[in-house]
Amino acid sequence: MSEDLDLNKIREKITKLDQQLLELFAQRRSLTLSVAKSKAHQIRPVRDQQREQELLIRLINQGKVLGLDAHYVTSVYQTIIEDSVLNQQAYLQTLANPNIQVPTVSVAFLGNKGSYSYLASHRYFSRRAAKINEYGCQSFKEIMQQVESGHVDYGMLPIENTSSGSINEVYDALQHTNLSIVGEITQPIEHCLLTAVNTQLSKIKTIYAHGQPFTQCSNFLDKQKNIRIEYCDSTADAMAQAYELQDPTVAVIGSEEGGHLYKLHALEKSIANQAENHSRFILVARKPIDVAEQIPAKTALILATGQKAGALVDCLIILKAKGINMCKLESRPIQGRPWEEMFYIDVEANLKSAVLQEAINEITSITNFIKILGCYPIEHISPTSVPSSAINA
Ligand SMILES: O=C(O)C(=O)C[C@]1(C(=O)O)C=C[C@@H](O)C=C1
């Protein structure tokens, strides 16, 4: 066989190239860290979308000469830039909060190894170069108690999901805690039907899962006939049960990545109602943090207005007048005060900024109750788009 067609030889060459690519990615990453140091010095924002757009257009054109598709080049570089921005943000945050640099952090989350909260915790701290001491909990309440009592440093809590909406239990718990929100992370939720042994969908009689994944996969589950549903406290508990049973009639709903930790494999992939399914998690700690000026920040607050006509609108008008963007508004009943609501508001502004301080002062004067839940870096990096003329030229 000619050397050009020898599969092993071709794969060896690919492996070598991939290694070189990784080395180049690492070199690029360390250069962007130098950029962050320079920006810290000059107090310039991390994000420069004009530079990103110029860079993307140049790379699309260079890629075309090499026979690379414009969409492919754009998507690869959007991922690289997202990583670059998040890494720079994480670095600037270490400068803004020198008192909380620790090599090991302890984190409480729902479930055990493999739960979505476990995966979110690991993803969040992987960028912050910290080793994690994991503390799996059975309820959101337990997570908050572990942080409040000082037993762990942080708690990771899911707050909303793109298909099943807000997680009310977490919103309610935030009313009664002194903890601060210090971070967020959006985790893609890729529900699969996982099994411990080789089997077929037609043989499955029982499916174990946490309530949230059940809701999010209702279309797939409705189509399965004669299947018993067993609710579990967490996805990780469900996976542990399936591993212990080693039963061809048992399946669980969870992520493929989490399932690997329990030696489970995917019988069916992408079973969620919505193909794009993401959960947003918040990280809570006992003390608030400072957010560096160069980083886009979000501030979360709750307020109660009483039952005055237009009282909420008056608060929102203050935000509008100051040019502060509100990115979330949620309402929850106040325990013991029938028909009164507590409003949860997320705004895209740094708590230290004069404009937000002024807005908070004005809102305080027209509300019965206001509490700042925390200020933290915005982790969602919206990709810079390139003009379609550059892609189609
Ligand atoms: O050149 C910069 O200013 C960078 O921060 C680097 C970089 C990149 O990774 O290329 C990242 C973020 C900016 O929005 C633009 C470009």
Side-chain angles (χ1 to χ4, degrees):
M1 193 194 303
S2 94
E3 205 167 277
D4 290 357
L5 297 178
D6 181 334
L7 183 59
N8 288 337
K9 286 256 155 60
I10 305 168
R11 284 186 174 167
E12 263 173 39
K13 284 184 188 165
I14 291 179
T15 306
K16 233 186 220 163
L17 266 184
D18 285 342
Q19 170 70 25
Q20 288 169 3
L21 283 174
L22 286 180
E23 281 164 13
L24 290 173
F25 288 154
Q27 273 181 38
R28 190 187 197 283
R29 208 190 220 206
S30 95
L31 279 176
T32 58
L33 212 56
S34 305
V35 170
K37 284 178 189 164
S38 154
K39 286 182 177 170
H41 197 64
Q42 300 174 36
I43 320 196
R44 278 175 63 164
V46 166
R47 203 101 198 256
D48 178 345
Q49 287 189 290
Q50 194 186 332
R51 161 79 182 156
E52 287 180 26
Q53 198 172 67
E54 285 162 8
L55 175 157
L56 286 169
I57 293 173
R58 176 174 39 80
L59 289 162
I60 287 169
N61 289 330
Q62 289 173 340
K64 279 183 188 160
V65 177
L66 297 167
L68 296 173
D69 173 69
H71 293 283
Y72 168 67
V73 172
T74 308
S75 119
V76 167
Y77 271 88
Q78 279 173 342
T79 306
I80 290 175
I81 290 171
E82 182 190 37
D83 175 74
S84 160
V85 172
L86 289 175
N87 252 344
Q88 293 189 50
Q89 289 193 177
Y91 169 75
L92 291 169
Q93 277 305 94
T94 62
L95 296 187
N97 297 277
N99 50 332
I100 46 175
Q101 304 318 312
V102 279
T104 305
V105 292
S106 46
V107 188
F109 52 83
L110 190 67
N112 290 310
K113 261 189 194 320
S115 66
Y116 287 108
S117 303
Y118 166 95
L119 298 177
S121 306
H122 275 268
R123 253 191 58 224
Y124 183 89
F125 283 103
S126 70
R127 218 175 270 291
R128 284 152 184 93
K131 186 179 167 296
I132 295 191
N133 281 336
E134 301 154 7
Y135 198 89
C137 295
Q138 292 308 310
S139 65
F140 298 138
K141 210 169 167 192
E142 189 191 345
I143 295 173
M144 297 189 108
Q145 278 166 355
Q146 290 302 329
V147 189
E148 280 160 356
S149 67
H151 192 249
V152 297
D153 304 316
Y154 296 104
M156 186 62 85
L157 296 160
I159 186 101
E160 57 182 315
N161 173 271
T162 49
S163 82
S164 54
S166 295
I167 298 171
N168 292 337
E169 219 184 313
V170 174
Y171 272 103
D172 290 344
L174 288 172
Q175 264 183 48
H176 307 290
T177 181
N178 288 325
L179 298 179
S180 290
I181 305 177
V182 295
E184 67 169 355
I185 186 161
T186 303
Q187 170 79 14
I189 304 290
E190 286 151 4
H191 291 316
C192 299
L193 197 65
L194 306 164
T195 56
V197 288
N198 263 335
T199 183
Q200 287 156 8
L201 185 56
S202 56
K203 295 200 176 130
I204 303 297
K205 300 251 173 306
T206 314
I207 296 180
Y208 291 86
H210 182 245
Q212 285 283 330
F214 269 127
T215 319
Q216 293 160 18
C217 299
S218 58
N219 295 348
F220 171 84
L221 292 169
D222 286 348
K223 280 188 232 139
Q224 314 310 318
K225 300 284 166 250
N226 305 321
I227 283 184
R228 195 163 56 93
I229 306 286
E230 286 278 344
Y231 285 89
C232 298
D233 283 339
S234 75
T235 297
D237 281 352
M239 294 197 285
Q241 294 233 32
Y243 173 73
E244 258 169 48
L245 292 167
Q246 294 289 313
D247 183 337
T249 70
V250 165
V252 343
I253 301 178
S255 72
E256 195 170 18
E257 191 185 349
H260 282 153
L261 300 165
Y262 293 84
K263 301 193 171 62
L264 305 179
H265 55 261
L267 184 63
E268 296 278 323
K269 293 188 186 181
S270 304
I271 61 167
N273 299 357
Q274 282 187 24
E276 280 291 316
N277 189 10
H278 298 265
S279 280
R280 190 168 79 90
F281 290 79
I282 50 170
L283 190 74
V284 291
R286 281 182 300 285
K287 289 208 172 119
I289 54 157
D290 276 339
V291 180
E293 279 174 67
Q294 300 95 327
I295 299 178
K298 206 185 265 185
T299 299
L301 40 104
I302 51 178
L303 50 92
T305 56
Q307 286 172 306
K308 285 170 270 166
L312 176 64
V313 175
D314 289 342
C315 297
L316 302 186
I317 286 173
I318 294 173
L319 294 175
K320 184 177 176 215
K322 308 234 174 265
I324 297 172
N325 184 39
M326 178 181 71
C327 47
K328 174 100 187 159
L329 172 64
E330 188 68 40
S331 72
R332 293 290 304 144
I334 302 176
Q335 296 300 314
R337 286 165 44 195
W339 312 116
E340 286 198 34
E341 297 283 321
M342 187 71 83
F343 297 105
Y344 292 72
I345 297 178
D346 286 350
V347 291
E348 288 180 350
N350 196 318
L351 184 58
K352 283 188 302 189
S353 67
V355 68
L356 183 55
Q357 282 298 326
E358 281 167 21
I360 289 173
N361 286 341
E362 287 180 31
I363 291 173
T364 305
S365 69
I366 56 165
T367 46
N368 295 343
F369 170 81
I370 182 163
K371 176 174 150 188
I372 309 296
L373 293 176
C375 176
Y376 51 94
I378 295 179
E379 200 85 358
H380 177 73
I381 310 299
S382 53
T384 293
S385 54
V386 267
S388 54
S389 56
I391 299 215
N392 301 320

